[in-house]
Amino acid sequence: MVMSKVTSKLQVTVPKALAAKYGIQPGDDIQFEEAGEVIRVLPPRTPVTNEVLGLDVRLRLFDAATDRQRLRRRAAGAKSQSTRSWTREELYRRGASSSD
């Protein structure tokens, strides 16, 4: 995790490693976007699209979210839900057109 302090003028310095990784240069405009309880920082030239994701991408994202939830439950000491009446494939096929 990389941290940065907010100045008295509410300015934030982008850490050098992140600036290099995302191609942020002096004078670039950075976009701040509200996302629930967090703020997303979008570097310049980041395409923001509303494209429909394919089934394979949605399943990969679902699996990643499920893994994160399992880790949170383990950390909190909660019991893992091992059985359910649906599969992840069924979740994304419900109401989907036949093009997927």
Side-chain angles (χ1 to χ4, degrees):
M1 178 180 346
V2 181
M3 299 289 290
S4 186
K5 288 197 183 246
V6 178
T7 69
S8 61
K9 293 182 180 182
L10 298 177
Q11 296 172 334
V12 177
T13 300
V14 177
K16 187 175 183 177
L18 290 177
K21 182 176 180 178
Y22 293 100
I24 300 171
Q25 300 292 321
D28 284 346
D29 290 325
I30 303 296
Q31 182 179 350
F32 293 88
E33 183 178 281
E34 293 182 48
E37 295 181 8
V38 299
I39 300 170
R40 289 179 19 168
V41 179
L42 302 173
R45 297 174 296 281
T46 299
V48 179
T49 62
N50 291 329
E51 70 182 61
V52 177
L53 301 177
L55 179 62
D56 58 331
V57 174
R58 294 191 328 248
L59 289 175
R60 191 170 57 245
L61 291 172
F62 180 83
D63 287 340
T66 301
D67 290 341
R68 287 191 306 271
Q69 181 64 25
R70 284 185 186 132
L71 288 173
R72 283 193 292 268
R73 284 185 179 174
R74 282 189 201 130
K79 294 180 182 178
S80 177
Q81 186 177 7
S82 60
T83 60
R84 58 183 177 226
S85 62
W86 49 269
T87 65
R88 65 187 181 98
E89 290 84 5
E90 290 173 337
L91 179 67
Y92 283 106
R93 292 178 203 254
R94 289 180 189 164
S97 64
S98 61
S99 64
D100 276 358

